[in-house]
């Protein structure tokens, strides 16, 4: 079976990061995705993760904006200085928390200028002593109109141009399903480029069980393909988190 991590912001949104990390450990997770670690003092969060024996599967740069504002700046012409400042801050957290992946949020932009801005910013990020793998995350344009990485083909092209040894994809199965209707086929084509996986039930965004995505089959496919990265439960629990964790034991036939 894949290695499962818990997205703290999604599973325990009402708790502090340190409290949520404790709940994740108690629920049997070995790693956590801390999308927005910037709301907690680094020493406090790092110590809680150490005491709980939790790895950090990924953090985001900058934190995704869930209040209707920009969801990143890596592809936005004119905001290169802001991107570099966000990156410096994120790298301090990467080092302190031992984050294994850093998700660079592209934001809303389009056209050749945006593409060149994204490539230039990724080249800058690639040159930094990160100690982590850099990732970009394709998202459904239905949910995020104007998103630079609402084009899956463009995301693949960017990773191949920058170099898969330096840059990878976040394979958010919920978004991939909405974009392509074919999680299995898209995984078969893209899995060598994938550095991190996120899962949620479609269409409701709850536990990755039932719904339109056959997660037991997908988990089996990941195993068969040799994927060794983390699979983060990034969903809104339908009830208590603990009552809905049966999906972690689901196996394809």
């Amino acid at each position: 079976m894949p290695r499962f991590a818990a997205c703290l912001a999604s599973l325990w949104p009402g708790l502090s990061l340190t409290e949520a990390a404790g709940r994740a450990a108690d629920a049997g997770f070995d790693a956590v995705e801390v999308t927005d670690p910037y709301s907690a003092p680094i020493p406090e969060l790092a110590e809680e993760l150490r005491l709980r024996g939790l790895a950090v599967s990924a953090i985001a740069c900058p934190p995704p904006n869930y209040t209707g504002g920009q969801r990143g700046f890596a592809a936005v012409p004119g905001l290169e200085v802001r991107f570099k400042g966000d990156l410096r801050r994120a790298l301090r957290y990467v080092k302190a928390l031992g984050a294994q992946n850093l998700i660079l949020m592209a934001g809303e932009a389009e056209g050749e200028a945006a593409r060149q801005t994204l490539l230039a910013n990724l080249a800058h990020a690639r040159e930094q002593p990160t100690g982590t793998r850099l990732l970009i995350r394709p998202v459904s344009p239905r949910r995020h109109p104007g998103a630079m990485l609402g084009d899956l083909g463009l995301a693949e092209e960017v990773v191949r141009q920058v170099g898969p040894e330096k840059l990878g994809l976040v394979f958010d199965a919920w978004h991939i399903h909405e974009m392509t209707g074919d999680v299995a086929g898209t995984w078969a084509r893209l899995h060598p480029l994938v550095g991190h996986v996120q899962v949620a039930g479609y269409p409701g965004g709850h536990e990755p069980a039932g719904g339109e995505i056959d997660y037991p089959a997908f988990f089996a496919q990941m195993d068969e393909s040799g994927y060794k990265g983390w699979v983060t439960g990034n969903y809104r629990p339908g009830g208590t988190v603990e009552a809905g964790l049966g999906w972690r034991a689901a196996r394809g036939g």
Side-chain angles (χ1 to χ4, degrees):
M1 290 292 287
R3 299 186 302 160
F4 295 117
C7 179
L8 299 185
S10 297
L11 272 62
W12 295 281
L15 301 182
S16 70
L17 291 179
T18 52
E19 291 172 321
R23 294 283 291 274
D26 290 343
F29 287 99
D30 296 319
V32 293
E33 180 174 324
V34 191
T35 309
D36 180 7
Y38 314 104
S39 61
I42 290 179
E44 178 182 324
L45 181 56
E47 179 65 6
E48 180 67 16
L49 293 169
R50 185 189 68 80
L51 291 174
R52 291 290 193 163
L54 290 168
V56 176
S57 61
I59 68 173
C61 172
N65 188 318
Y66 293 115
T67 59
Q70 273 277 30
R71 297 176 65 86
F73 309 96
V76 183
L79 294 181
E80 293 86 351
V81 172
R82 177 163 185 173
F83 170 80
K84 290 176 181 178
D86 285 335
L87 179 64
R88 286 193 296 272
R89 185 183 183 203
L91 291 179
R92 293 197 296 270
Y93 278 81
V94 164
K95 181 177 180 180
L97 303 180
Q100 298 176 20
N101 295 291
L102 178 61
I103 304 171
L104 302 175
M105 310 296 284
E108 298 175 7
E110 60 183 3
E112 184 58 23
R115 180 178 174 277
Q116 292 301 325
T117 298
L118 178 60
L119 288 171
N121 280 331
L122 291 176
H124 170 76
R126 182 184 60 191
E127 293 167 358
Q128 308 309 305
T130 64
T132 187
R133 189 174 188 186
L134 303 174
L135 303 173
I136 56 175
R137 179 174 176 256
V139 294
S140 167
R142 286 175 54 189
R143 305 292 166 168
H144 303 292
M148 181 68 179
L149 295 181
D151 182 335
L152 185 57
L154 174 61
E156 178 182 0
E157 174 191 324
V158 166
V159 169
R160 294 191 186 280
Q161 185 164 347
V162 173
E165 72 284 357
K166 299 288 188 179
L167 180 70
L169 291 174
V170 176
F171 192 98
D172 185 321
W174 193 100
H175 283 270
I176 295 296
H177 178 75
E178 185 158 282
M179 296 167 81
T180 70
D182 184 10
V183 167
T186 306
W187 179 264
R189 179 169 62 86
L190 292 183
H191 75 82
L193 307 181
V194 173
H196 189 60
V197 175
Q198 296 173 334
V199 295
Y202 190 93
H206 299 307
E207 286 80 359
E212 297 181 13
I213 302 173
D214 185 346
Y215 275 111
F218 182 43
F219 295 156
Q221 184 183 19
M222 277 191 275
D223 285 342
E224 292 167 3
S225 70
Y227 176 70
K228 302 299 183 184
W230 293 101
V231 177
T232 293
N234 183 16
Y235 59 89
R236 299 185 304 276
T240 66
V241 173
E242 292 75 14
L245 292 176
W247 60 270
R248 295 186 303 188
R251 296 176 181 272

